[in-house]
Amino acid sequence: MTFPGGSTANCGQAAFAGLQSRFTFQGACSTATISRVRTQVVNGPKIKTSGIDFMGQYDFDDVLGGDIRIGGSATYTIEYKIGDFVVEGVTVERAFDAAGFLNYQLIATSLPEWKGQVFAEYSRGPHNLRFTLNYIDSYKDQRTSILAPNPVNGAVQTKGQTIKSTILAELDYRVQLPWDTTMTLSVDNLFDQDPAFARLDLNYDPFTGSAIGRTYKVSVKKRF
């Protein structure tokens, strides 16, 4: 068992006694000999976050017998600072800023600095057609990079350090039917894009991407 600031031997030190008491070992203190873990609710670390939200839209009336609306929204995370995480008097996770990083196996989940969408919508009578682009900014994997030779020129290149940005399109058609009934047809991930590569078990980050691909949805809503 490796405790903060030392090697396996440190799990026997008095400074880590409180943390060690949460584990039951079969034999020597080691990761391989853990037989039981006692979990308790503890206070998490302090979090300081700040950001900016943007939103705007504009309407064009009487265009081809209908109305056009364009707009968008975006969020920029300036900082997401997480303080030291202390358990039983032991700092088990040092303070860090999660903004713009994958945060693998840390308190925070994936946190790209920029997220946003833009849309264009056309309405005429009972019909409404909307096209949307959703954007997720690129972000960094803090873990040690994997170095591999380039198969073309043999040069060393870094793989998996940056998770690329993604833009996914969505198309929605809504029609107002008789008897207070509304039908909606939607196509998510219109161009069937793969999620950005990440050095994780699924080869992508499930917090920001999906491997499902293009999906179709039909919904009917009736008001009584």
Side-chain angles (χ1 to χ4, degrees):
M1 174 63 60
T2 301
F3 281 80
S7 63
T8 301
N10 281 352
C11 68
Q13 294 186 7
F16 303 120
L19 189 59
Q20 181 182 339
S21 68
R22 292 170 174 260
F23 298 85
T24 300
F25 302 94
Q26 290 182 332
C29 179
S30 168
T31 304
T33 62
I34 294 176
S35 63
R36 181 177 299 176
V37 178
R38 177 169 57 87
T39 60
Q40 291 178 275
V41 176
V42 298
N43 292 326
K46 294 180 179 180
I47 298 177
K48 179 183 178 181
T49 182
S50 62
I52 304 174
D53 294 327
F54 306 89
M55 183 172 62
Q57 66 180 39
Y58 191 84
D59 295 343
F60 300 89
D61 298 330
D62 195 19
V63 178
L64 300 175
D67 301 321
I68 292 179
R69 173 177 294 173
I70 60 174
S73 61
T75 296
Y76 175 64
T77 303
I78 298 174
E79 64 178 4
Y80 197 93
K81 293 184 177 180
I82 300 177
D84 288 342
F85 186 24
V86 180
V87 179
E88 301 287 359
V90 179
T91 300
V92 297
E93 188 172 286
R94 295 292 182 184
F96 67 101
D97 189 349
F101 295 101
L102 173 65
N103 303 311
Y104 178 71
Q105 291 187 338
L106 298 176
I107 294 174
T109 57
S110 307
L111 192 58
E113 291 181 317
W114 282 98
K115 289 184 178 181
Q117 65 170 218
V118 293
F119 71 89
E121 181 177 290
Y122 178 72
S123 300
R124 181 174 180 176
H127 305 280
N128 178 277
L129 184 65
R130 181 184 178 108
F131 178 74
T132 306
L133 291 175
N134 297 292
Y135 173 78
I136 298 177
D137 196 16
S138 61
Y139 51 104
K140 296 288 187 179
D141 183 344
Q142 303 104 306
R143 295 172 296 168
T144 304
S145 64
I146 295 177
L147 300 179
N150 189 308
V152 177
N153 55 24
V156 173
Q157 58 184 358
T158 302
K159 295 185 64 179
Q161 277 295 94
T162 300
I163 300 170
K164 296 181 179 179
S165 61
T166 57
I167 300 177
L168 298 180
E170 177 183 338
L171 187 65
D172 300 282
Y173 169 69
R174 187 179 71 250
V175 58
Q176 186 66 44
L177 301 175
W179 306 298
D180 287 331
T181 302
T182 303
M183 183 176 69
T184 304
L185 308 175
S186 301
V187 184
D188 294 332
N189 194 356
L190 183 62
F191 302 112
D192 198 25
Q193 290 183 252
D194 292 330
F197 171 76
R199 287 190 294 135
L200 300 171
D201 292 342
L202 300 175
N203 283 336
Y204 72 93
D205 182 2
F207 288 102
T208 59
S210 172
I212 295 177
R214 184 189 297 115
T215 59
Y216 303 86
K217 294 185 292 185
V218 179
S219 63
V220 177
K221 182 174 69 175
K222 173 70 173 72
R223 178 176 295 177
F224 296 94

